[in-house]
Amino acid sequence: MLSDIEIAQHASLCHIKEIAAKLGIDEDQLEQYGKHKAKLPLSLIDDKKVGQSNLILVTAITPTPAGEGKTTTSIGLADGLASIGKKVAVVLREPSLGPVFGIKGGAAGGGYSQVVPMEDINLHFTGDFAAIEKANNLLAALIDNNIQSKSRSLGIDPRTVLWKRCMDMNDRSLRKIVSALGGKSGGIPMETGFNITAASEIMAILCLSNDLSDLKKRMGNIYIGDTFQGKAIYARDLNAQGAMAALLKDAIKPNLVQTLENVPALIHGGPFANIAQGTNSVIATKMGMSLADFVVTEAGFGADLGAEKFFNIKCRNAGISPRAVVLVATIRALKYHGGKALSELKQPDPKAVETGAENLRKHLETIASFGVPAVVCINRFDADTDEEVRVLERICEAHGAKVAVSEGFARGSEGTRTLATIVAKTVEGSKSTFRPTYSLDDPVREKIEKICKTVYGAKYVILSNKAKSQLRRFEDLGFGKMPVCIAKTQKSLSDDEKLLGRPKDFDIHIREFEVASGAGFLIPIAGTMLRMPGLPALPAAEGMDIDAEGNISGLS
């Protein structure tokens, strides 16, 4: 069988002008990056058309370490919808180089459900991540320069500075560092560190902004730290927002590419879902909805993370709502939640599927709490037996959920046509708009408790003394009306990654708080969350190569 990159390299790509024409975009509106990529102007967003489009959210059950194929399903579903005559676009996040070179590999789909050119999308693409990194690090440089300044100092207390530099790479050595060890002229030594670019607040801001003016305002609202007198300092106090926005003048524009079956794909932004909102930009989603009748998008990790934040943060911020949710489930993940070891997931075990289905049921309950209809997608792998698939189908039907098997990875749109037909009928019959889990007027602790109890299934929420102190400070600064973006492991519904399946009678422990005041949300941190991942023992990078003609291999 061909590898993902071999399939992509053998694909017949249309010129980007032809892809744009499918969405009614004139050639002179494109900013082309070669033959197969282009940036799109924000003027293509039409709020009236946004309200008429059918948005479909793809989410998943709690994933195995390898993931359950949300992006592959999203792309395959878009291809399937196109094959049954729908005007469709798929809107996705941009991959981060950290996972690309780490353990998960690329994020452009897989098999015969990919977006292309996959090498470009997975690597530097159109430079959006680099621009975000530069804007982030410019603010860091301006902060350090002001601390060093004798004539223009704001009196920032270096011990309170929260802002870190970022880099789009997994590099554990940069998590905690001491900077400015160059002597008297080299700055003030500070304990600091690096975040991965996908975890930067600049990424979150880009993905929640409505336009360039909104982007600039949000960046000015970034909370940096305090003066020695306890006064809060923001990026606007350093006059940083103008230069930062200038660096992002092109990055704010969505990128147009295509699927293997030449369906239009908009790819823009890439915040992680375990520490940020985990979905592509508001601008890209609204642009897709302005240009297509059906728009397929996805949110990271399981529904407890990506979907919850998609609804409570993104949809509330953008004034949009999905007409249906596709919940991706795999036989291997259900066996994992049913007690099987990772090494045993290819062995047939219908009983483990049945046991692990409690995790699926909880995610279906979560989606129902938002008031939006769900369709379960069984993303089928080669090792799955017919008996195991039938067990999962019966469980879904007993729960009253519509269900379809997807084989987009192996067969492209031929393997997703049934799923597409069911989803289209569900969407066209749906009049619902989502219900948020909490009100913005709720006290912060109540917002957290509503998420933890309704979405995770927790019994109690426990705040550490440090978290209580930080929360009081952030509420005093006026951040109490913001939505909350809980940072939590993606490996469990709880904050303990070892609790698989559907844990019960567990508590959520909020260790500390962070704030993304520019993005506009508070971040309660449950457990220990890494904003700078490390590479695994055998990084994916070691299997990649390029030949003398420039052909890349080993990227998947």
Side-chain angles (χ1 to χ4, degrees):
M1 182 177 177
L2 295 176
S3 67
D4 289 351
I5 193 167
E6 288 171 330
I7 292 170
Q9 289 170 341
H10 285 85
S12 176
L13 275 65
C14 293
H15 195 286
I16 199 65
K17 295 184 292 186
E18 299 175 54
I19 301 300
K22 293 184 178 185
L23 296 176
I25 303 171
D26 294 333
E27 179 183 345
D28 60 6
Q29 292 178 296
L30 300 177
E31 295 179 18
Q32 294 185 41
Y33 285 65
K35 295 180 180 179
H36 303 124
K37 298 173 290 181
K39 280 195 168 288
L40 301 177
L42 274 58
S43 59
L44 292 173
I45 296 175
D46 184 327
D47 286 331
K48 183 178 179 181
K49 292 180 179 177
V50 168
Q52 298 168 345
S53 185
N54 297 297
L55 181 62
I56 301 157
L57 173 65
V58 177
T59 185
I61 63 173
T62 304
T64 62
E68 305 319 307
K70 287 188 310 300
T71 305
T72 300
T73 298
S74 299
I75 297 164
L77 174 57
D79 286 339
L81 287 166
S83 75
I84 61 172
K86 305 300 183 183
K87 184 179 181 182
V88 60
V90 59
V91 187
L92 303 170
R93 290 178 292 170
E94 298 178 48
S96 165
L97 289 178
V100 167
F101 292 131
I103 191 169
K104 290 189 72 174
Y112 290 92
S113 292
Q114 295 188 56
V115 282
V116 283
M118 73 90 84
E119 305 102 304
D120 295 354
I121 294 167
N122 277 314
L123 298 177
H124 296 294
F125 203 18
T126 57
D128 293 347
F129 273 51
I132 290 166
E133 177 184 310
K134 298 299 183 290
N136 181 104
N137 295 343
L138 171 61
L139 179 55
L142 290 170
I143 294 168
D144 288 354
N145 186 60
N146 189 270
I147 292 172
Q148 172 80 353
S149 174
K150 295 179 180 179
S151 61
R152 300 185 64 250
S153 173
L154 294 171
I156 300 171
D157 183 348
R159 297 168 299 180
T160 68
V161 172
L162 302 175
W163 197 253
K164 294 184 177 182
R165 288 167 173 82
C166 73
M167 183 175 71
D168 192 31
M169 196 65 62
N170 286 5
D171 191 344
R172 61 174 57 84
S173 299
L174 296 178
R175 285 174 190 161
K176 292 187 177 181
I177 63 172
V178 177
S179 65
L181 297 180
K184 190 174 182 180
S185 64
I188 307 297
M190 294 171 56
E191 185 176 346
T192 182
F194 276 71
N195 295 327
I196 192 167
T197 302
S200 166
E201 185 180 350
I202 304 299
M203 177 67 80
I205 289 172
L206 179 82
C207 289
L208 287 173
S209 296
N210 294 304
D211 51 38
L212 196 54
S213 296
D214 187 32
L215 176 82
K216 185 167 70 171
K217 181 179 179 181
R218 287 173 179 269
M219 287 194 293
N221 290 337
I222 294 170
Y223 173 61
I224 293 169
D226 302 327
T227 67
F228 285 102
Q229 290 73 39
K231 177 187 174 185
I233 297 294
Y234 299 88
R236 59 179 178 265
D237 296 319
L238 293 167
N239 296 316
Q241 66 272 25
M244 293 167 70
L247 286 168
L248 298 172
K249 70 179 181 66
D250 293 319
I252 197 172
K253 302 170 186 174
N255 307 290
L256 178 66
V257 288
Q258 62 192 289
T259 72
L260 287 174
E261 299 191 18
N262 312 123
V263 170
L266 279 71
I267 301 184
H268 196 216
F272 289 159
N274 52 352
I275 50 181
Q277 72 266 40
T279 182
N280 63 79
S281 73
V282 166
I283 288 172
T285 301
K286 282 190 166 184
M287 190 173 292
M289 295 173 75
S290 300
L291 300 169
D293 299 329
F294 287 77
V295 173
V296 181
T297 191
E298 54 108 11
F301 296 125
D304 56 314
L305 289 169
E308 182 271 310
K309 295 170 182 178
F310 185 92
F311 283 113
N312 286 317
I313 297 177
K314 179 173 180 174
C315 288
R316 194 194 312 251
N317 177 83
I320 58 177
S321 177
R323 297 282 174 84
V325 175
V326 175
L327 180 66
V328 179
T330 60
I331 299 297
R332 67 181 186 185
L334 293 179
K335 287 191 285 192
Y336 183 59
H337 287 293
K340 306 297 287 187
L342 288 172
S343 60
E344 302 173 322
L345 298 186
K346 291 186 177 181
Q347 300 172 11
D349 193 336
K351 183 66 176 175
V353 173
E354 193 163 347
T355 303
E358 279 301 309
N359 185 270
L360 169 71
R361 291 188 181 98
K362 178 66 190 85
H363 287 294
L364 283 170
E365 291 171 12
T366 293
I367 294 166
S369 75
F370 291 110
V372 178
V375 175
V376 176
C377 166
I378 304 173
N379 187 23
R380 186 161 190 172
F381 287 73
D382 289 341
D384 299 344
T385 67
D386 290 342
E387 183 181 1
E388 289 172 322
V389 171
R390 282 195 296 271
V391 166
L392 183 49
E393 287 176 328
R394 285 198 298 270
I395 290 168
C396 293
E397 289 163 359
H399 196 278
K402 298 174 184 176
V403 60
V405 175
S406 172
E407 295 181 291
F409 182 93
R411 299 170 55 210
S413 63
E414 288 186 10
T416 60
R417 201 164 287 137
T418 299
L419 172 66
T421 300
I422 292 173
V423 170
K425 288 180 179 177
T426 302
V427 164
E428 290 167 341
S430 172
K431 303 294 183 183
S432 60
T433 55
F434 86 98
R435 296 189 300 262
T437 308
Y438 54 84
S439 166
L440 293 179
D441 291 328
D442 289 340
V444 172
R445 178 156 189 155
E446 188 174 329
K447 293 173 187 172
I448 297 169
E449 288 176 344
K450 285 181 177 179
I451 292 173
C452 292
K453 292 178 180 180
T454 303
V455 178
Y456 307 160
K459 190 173 183 182
Y460 298 112
V461 175
I462 300 170
L463 271 63
S464 70
N465 289 334
K466 180 179 181 180
K468 291 176 183 176
S469 175
Q470 290 172 320
L471 178 55
R472 284 193 296 270
R473 170 63 173 162
F474 290 149
E475 287 178 326
D476 288 343
L477 290 173
F479 302 148
K481 298 297 184 184
M482 292 180 175
V484 293
C485 184
I486 299 177
K488 180 186 78 70
T489 179
Q490 71 272 19
K491 298 178 181 179
S492 170
L493 285 164
S494 73
D495 57 4
D496 180 354
E497 64 180 49
K498 295 178 183 179
L499 295 180
L500 303 179
R502 182 177 184 169
K504 299 202 175 161
D505 296 326
F506 63 92
D507 300 330
I508 293 288
H509 298 81
I510 304 301
R511 179 172 55 87
E512 60 182 323
F513 277 87
E514 294 180 3
V515 64
S517 54
F521 51 73
L522 277 170
I523 308 170
I525 299 178
T528 301
M529 300 302 301
L530 295 176
R531 288 182 170 272
M532 172 53 81
L535 290 170
L538 182 60
E542 292 187 19
M544 298 178 192
D545 202 359
I546 186 169
D547 64 21
E549 284 73 43
N551 297 308
I552 296 173
S553 59
L555 180 61
S556 63

